[in-house]
């Protein structure tokens, strides 16, 4: 005799529901791929805007470039070798105000900024004296010494009249030091009488997109920044001092970075310190939008399979406990509606704020399920309950999407609560009897 459990209608229905749930992974994966595609299109929009106003900016002041050629004689021959020394400033102070605004490229919004910076500081001749000091049996020749300011995207420079060195304004020219881009000025030829200190200052107006950072190219770097952007994200290797003031009218922040805080010295030769090491010490602010539409859509889609599975579990239990049989096609219809929710959410959130788009998509889904199950169950009350349950589920999902720091905790506790409620509600159910009745 065959085992009756193999043909138990309850088991068959459960298997069919599980298969439908797994099949819904395909449309959910398509929606996730579409989210990635639309996010890439936004990145292209950022690039288009950056082509006009400048990319993310990193500014570093200042670096003294000293080429030194050593010549010596050995075995009747003369040899020479040239090395380029990079000497960093003693102190740098930056004071700036930043006007930030969102610029649109098609349907995409891109944060842009224009910064007015006053930069000043000084270099001491201590390291310079070590470079130019006489060496026994070696003749040193000092090449053209230049003062270099690193700027990630010089195309964003709007105003830079020059750099004032010891009270004299010197014109700037584009300069590249290794992999660092920027501008520089040539200093007077050095001789035996080295200055005790070199003071510099310049006013820079620069524009860019999304991010403004600074490189601590000094023994002591101090940055004071204020802006009207209400939602800054402080990024990089160092955070602001204390608690920066942030309000709906903007923010004010100060940084103080010492040589001891970074991972490279005050002086090196040629490429002994890479651009990667320097870039890792950058700090500053991101002018980001409080809700990243595509990140929120991705996180919503990430929970989609779990929510569909829980919804089907609840439907299955109600079907068995209330003796209201549902056809697998009705499960498939419900799963299609739950899947299309994420597509509607993505499409609407590109034109409205994410909160409004989520409210619209949830309201549409709840209304659809209420009407559908009101007809399927033959009771308007049953449809209202189905809509109420789905609304509660998607209210929880919205909480998980926005709760970036506590999403795992909230999700785990909510899932445990749902499972506990189902287990407690069905703890006295005789599933064998239900299977025979079916």
């Amino acid at each position: 005799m065959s085992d009756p459990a193999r043909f138990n209608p309850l088991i068959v229905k459960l298997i069919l529901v599980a298969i439908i749930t797994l099949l819904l992974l395909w449309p959910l994966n398509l929606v996730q791929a579409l989210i990635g595609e639309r996010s890439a299109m936004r990145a292209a929009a950022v690039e288009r805007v950056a082509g006009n106003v400048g990319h993310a900016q990193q500014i570093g002041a200042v670096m003294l470039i000293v080429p030194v050629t050593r010549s010596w004689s050995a075995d009747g021959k003369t040899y020479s070798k040239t090395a380029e020394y990079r000497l960093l400033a003693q102190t740098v102070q930056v004071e700036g105000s930043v006007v930030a605004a969102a610029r649109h490229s098609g349907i995409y919004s891109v944060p842009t900024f224009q910064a007015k910076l006053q930069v000043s500081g000084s270099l001491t001749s201590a390291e310079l004296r070590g470079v130019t000091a006489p060496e026994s049996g070696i003749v040193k020749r000092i090449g053209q010494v230049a003062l270099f300011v690193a700027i990630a995207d010089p195309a964003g420079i709007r105003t830079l009249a020059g750099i004032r060195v010891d009270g004299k304004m010197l014109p700037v020219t584009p300069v590249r030091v290794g992999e660092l881009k920027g501008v520089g000025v040539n200093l007077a030829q050095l001789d035996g009488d080295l200055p005790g200190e070199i003071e510099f200052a310049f006013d820079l107006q620069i524009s860019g997109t999304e991010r403004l950072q600074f490189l601590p190219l000094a023994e002591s770097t101090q940055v004071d920044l204020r802006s009207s952007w209400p939602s800054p994200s402080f990024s990089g290797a160092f955070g602001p001092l204390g608690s920066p003031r942030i309000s709906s009218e903007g923010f004010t922040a100060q940084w103080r970075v010492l040589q001891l805080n970074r991972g490279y010295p005050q002086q090196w030769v040629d490429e002994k310190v890479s651009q990667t090491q320097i870039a890792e010490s950058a700090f500053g602010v991101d002018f980001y939008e409080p809700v990243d539409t595509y990140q929120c859509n991705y996180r919503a889609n990430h929970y989609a399979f779990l929510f569909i599975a829980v919804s089907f579990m609840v439907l299955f239990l109600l079907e068995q406990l209330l003796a209201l049989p549902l056809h697998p096609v009705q499960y498939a219809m419900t799963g299609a509606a739950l899947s299309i929710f994420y597509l509607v959410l993505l499409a609407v959130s590109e034109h409205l704020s994410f909160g409004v788009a989520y409210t619209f998509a949830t309201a549409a889904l709840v209304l659809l399920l209420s009407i559908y199950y009101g007809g399927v169950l033959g009771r308007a009350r049953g449809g209202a309950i189905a809509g109420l349950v789905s609304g509660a589920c998607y209210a929880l999902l919205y909480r998980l999407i926005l709760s970036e720091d506590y999403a795992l905790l909230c999700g785990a506790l909510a899932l445990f609560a749902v499972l506990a409620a189902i287990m407690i509600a069905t703890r006295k159910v005789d599933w064998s009897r239900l299977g025979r009745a079916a």
Side-chain angles (χ1 to χ4, degrees), residues 32-48 108 292 294-295 346 350:
Q32 185 162 339
L34 184 60
I35 294 172
E37 178 184 334
R38 304 298 289 183
S39 181
M41 292 177 67
R42 184 191 180 277
V46 172
E47 188 63 26
R48 287 196 298 271
Y108 302 103
D292 186 330
Y294 296 106
Q295 182 66 21
L346 172 62
E350 289 189 329

Side-chain angles (χ1 to χ4, degrees), residues 6-37:
R6 293 178 59 188
F7 303 98
N8 188 319
L10 189 65
I11 301 299
V12 173
K13 175 63 76 68
L14 187 59
I15 292 174
L16 288 175
V17 171
I19 291 174
I20 293 172
T21 305
L22 292 174
L23 289 176
L24 288 173
L25 282 173
W26 178 64
L28 292 177
N29 286 335
L30 291 180
V31 173
Q32 185 162 339
L34 184 60
I35 294 172
E37 178 184 334

Side-chain angles (χ1 to χ4, degrees), residues 91-116:
T91 61
V92 168
Q93 296 85 36
V94 180
E95 293 186 6
S97 61
V98 185
V99 177
R103 179 175 293 194
H104 288 81
S105 177
I107 64 172
Y108 302 103
S109 175
V110 181
T112 64
F113 65 86
Q114 188 163 109
K116 293 182 179 180

Side-chain angles (χ1 to χ4, degrees), residues 24 49 84 93 150 157 173 233 256 299 326 348 416 426 429:
L24 288 173
V49 172
E84 192 174 77
Q93 296 85 36
I157 297 175
T173 57
S233 175
R256 175 75 179 274
R299 294 178 66 184
L326 296 176
V348 178
F416 180 81
T426 60
V429 173

Side-chain angles (χ1 to χ4, degrees), residues 1 19 45 68 70 120 168 173 183 212 305 309 356:
M1 267 181 86
I19 291 174
V68 178
R70 287 178 166 83
S120 61
K168 183 179 180 180
T173 57
V183 298
L212 174 62
F305 183 75
V356 173

Side-chain angles (χ1 to χ4, degrees), residues 85-411:
Y85 286 81
R86 287 86 186 271
L87 312 179
L88 303 186
Q90 183 75 15
T91 61
V92 168
Q93 296 85 36
V94 180
E95 293 186 6
S97 61
V98 185
V99 177
R103 179 175 293 194
H104 288 81
S105 177
I107 64 172
Y108 302 103
S109 175
V110 181
T112 64
F113 65 86
Q114 188 163 109
K116 293 182 179 180
L117 307 174
Q118 294 80 47
V119 184
S120 61
S122 63
L123 299 103
T124 63
S125 61
E127 290 88 357
L128 192 57
R129 291 181 187 278
V131 172
T132 60
E135 296 182 26
S136 177
I138 295 178
V139 177
K140 287 186 178 181
R141 182 171 58 85
I142 309 300
Q144 179 61 63
V145 178
L147 197 66
F148 172 71
V149 177
I151 298 176
D153 186 6
I157 297 175
R158 296 294 173 258
T159 302
L160 180 56
I163 299 177
R164 187 176 292 103
V165 180
D166 290 336
K168 183 179 180 180
M169 183 65 77
L170 301 177
V172 297
T173 57
V175 176
R176 191 179 188 101
V177 176
E179 297 181 356
L180 292 173
K181 293 185 290 186
V183 298
V185 298
N186 292 326
L187 304 184
Q189 190 67 33
L190 295 178
D191 53 26
D193 299 324
L194 296 176
E197 187 175 71
I198 300 174
E199 295 184 347
F200 61 88
F202 59 91
D203 295 330
L204 171 65
Q205 185 172 335
I206 191 167
S207 63
T209 55
E210 297 189 316
R211 175 175 294 175
L212 174 62
Q213 290 187 327
F214 300 89
L215 300 172
L217 302 184
E219 188 171 327
S220 174
T221 302
Q222 182 172 332
V223 177
D224 297 336
L225 212 59
R226 62 186 181 277
S227 173
S228 58
W229 189 260
S231 52
S233 175
F234 300 108
S235 60
F238 309 103
L241 292 175
S243 298
R245 294 192 294 273
I246 304 174
S247 69
S248 59
E249 297 179 355
F251 71 89
T252 302
Q254 296 83 36
W255 291 262
R256 175 75 179 274
V257 181
L258 304 177
Q259 174 193 353
L260 299 175
N261 305 137
R262 61 173 200 241
Y264 49 90
Q266 278 288 100
Q267 171 187 328
W268 67 88
V269 181
D270 295 329
E271 304 300 323
K272 292 296 180 64
V273 175
S274 67
Q275 182 190 19
T276 301
Q277 289 176 276
I278 297 175
E280 286 175 349
S281 68
F283 61 91
V285 61
D286 291 357
F287 299 93
Y288 89 116
E289 295 174 306
V291 177
D292 186 330
T293 295
Y294 296 106
Q295 182 66 21
C296 288
N297 273 280
Y298 174 80
R299 294 178 66 184
N301 190 263
H302 185 71
Y303 289 103
F305 183 75
L306 175 62
F307 272 74
I308 291 174
V310 170
S311 299
F312 280 5
M313 184 186 300
V314 172
L315 282 177
F316 180 79
L317 291 175
L318 290 177
E319 175 188 358
Q320 303 304 321
L321 297 177
L322 301 180
L324 296 172
L326 296 176
H327 195 275
V329 171
Q330 292 168 323
Y331 278 94
M333 290 284 190
T334 303
L338 296 175
S339 299
I340 291 176
F341 165 84
Y342 299 96
L343 182 61
V344 173
L345 176 61
L346 172 62
V348 178
S349 65
E350 289 189 329
H351 300 275
L352 302 175
S353 69
F354 184 80
V356 173
Y358 192 92
T359 301
F360 174 83
T362 302
L365 177 65
V366 169
L367 180 61
L368 175 59
L369 292 179
S370 298
I371 295 173
Y372 183 70
Y373 278 99
V376 168
L377 302 176
R379 306 173 188 174
R381 184 180 178 184
I385 293 175
L388 183 63
V389 171
S390 63
C393 288
Y394 282 90
L396 172 62
L397 176 60
Y398 187 71
R399 175 61 181 166
L400 294 179
I401 293 170
L402 296 187
S403 181
E404 185 173 351
D405 295 330
Y406 299 100
L408 178 61
L409 176 63
C410 293

